[in-house]
Amino acid sequence: MKSICLIGFMGSGKTTVGEVVAKLLHKPWVDLDHYIVKQEDMSISQMFREYGEDYFRSLETKYLKEVLKNKENVISMGGGIITVPENVLLLQEQTVIYLDYPFETLYERIAEDKNRPLATSYEALKERYESRKQLYENTCQVKINCKGKSINRIVQEIISKLDRIS
Ligand code: S3P
C-alpha cells in the first residue's frame, strides 16, 4: 500500500485537490504544511522569519516521514518538498501526482499571498519555478496538465489515472 502524494509549485491547488481526492477515495487526508504548523504551533511565515528556510526544510522532512507511516493517506505537500533529495527518495516509494500549471497562472494566484514567505518578486519566483520543474517531473509517476481545467476535472483525471496504475 502506498500513500497518494500531490506535488507541484505554490498555487497549484494541492490542498484543494488533495482534500477532494481523499474524500472520494474514502482515505484520510493530510496537508503537510497544516500538519507542520499544528505540530510546531507556529505559522510557516514565522518559521521562515525567525529560523530561516533550512530550519523549515528540516521540519518538513521530519514530518514527511511521520505522515508516511500511515500508508493510506492522501497527502498534499508543500511546493518545496522536492528540493531535498531525501524527500525525493521517500516520495519515489509512493504514488506521486504532479499538478502542472504554466508559471503565469501560478503567479497570478500567489503574488499577493502574505502567508507564503517565498512569494516574492516575479523574477525570483520564476527562477524558482524553472529550477524546480524538472524535479517535479522526475519525482512524479503521474503528471496532470491542469491548465484551464476545473478542480472537478483535475480530480476526475487523477482518479482515473490512479485506477489505471493500481
Ligand atoms: C513552499 C511552499 C509552501 C510552504 C512554504 C514553502 C515552497 O507550500 O511549504 O511556504 O518552497 O514552495 P504551498 O506549495 O502549499 O504554497
Side-chain angles (χ1 to χ4, degrees):
M1 202 73 191
K2 294 175 178 183
S3 287
I4 297 164
C5 300
L6 295 172
I7 63 168
F9 202 68
M10 289 172 262
S12 58
K14 304 173 295 281
T15 298
T16 312
V17 170
E19 188 172 13
V20 181
V21 168
K23 205 167 273 172
L24 289 174
L25 297 177
H26 306 288
K27 288 176 182 284
W29 170 62
V30 181
D31 182 281
L32 189 58
D33 280 349
H34 296 176
Y35 189 84
I36 297 169
V37 167
K38 195 161 168 220
Q39 298 302 315
E40 296 293 312
D41 195 21
M42 192 189 277
S43 74
I44 291 180
S45 301
Q46 202 180 346
M47 285 176 216
F48 270 73
R49 209 169 42 239
E50 292 189 16
Y51 305 111
E53 183 172 348
D54 288 351
Y55 175 79
F56 172 75
R57 296 293 166 214
S58 64
L59 289 178
E60 205 175 29
T61 301
K62 173 183 166 186
Y63 291 119
L64 172 65
K65 287 179 183 162
E66 206 166 292
V67 300
L68 286 176
K69 282 188 187 142
N70 180 350
K71 296 286 169 207
E72 293 283 322
N73 283 335
V74 174
I75 311 169
S76 304
M77 302 290 169
I81 197 83
I82 40 66
T83 59
V84 173
E86 187 180 1
N87 298 347
V88 172
L89 291 176
L90 291 165
L91 288 174
Q92 282 168 340
E93 291 168 12
Q94 315 302 322
T95 303
V96 179
I97 309 206
Y98 168 32
L99 304 183
D100 184 30
Y101 277 96
F103 177 72
E104 302 302 324
T105 311
L106 298 169
Y107 182 72
E108 274 172 32
R109 291 183 185 176
I110 61 183
E112 304 295 328
D113 192 341
K114 303 254 179 316
N115 296 317
R116 288 186 166 106
L118 296 178
T120 50
S121 70
Y122 179 93
E123 288 74 21
L125 272 171
K126 177 114 202 233
E127 202 179 309
R128 209 175 269 274
Y129 174 86
E130 295 299 341
S131 73
R132 288 180 179 176
K133 212 168 172 11
Q134 200 58 49
L135 286 167
Y136 293 126
E137 307 246 355
N138 293 347
T139 308
C140 75
Q141 270 159 282
V142 175
K143 175 167 123 174
I144 309 284
N145 175 6
C146 298
K147 187 181 175 189
K149 293 178 186 163
S150 67
I151 296 291
N152 228 8
R153 167 103 188 265
I154 293 166
V155 168
Q156 288 315 325
E157 257 183 57
I158 291 174
I159 305 275
S160 72
K161 294 214 165 135
L162 285 173
D163 268 352
R164 258 175 270 160
I165 60 174
S166 61

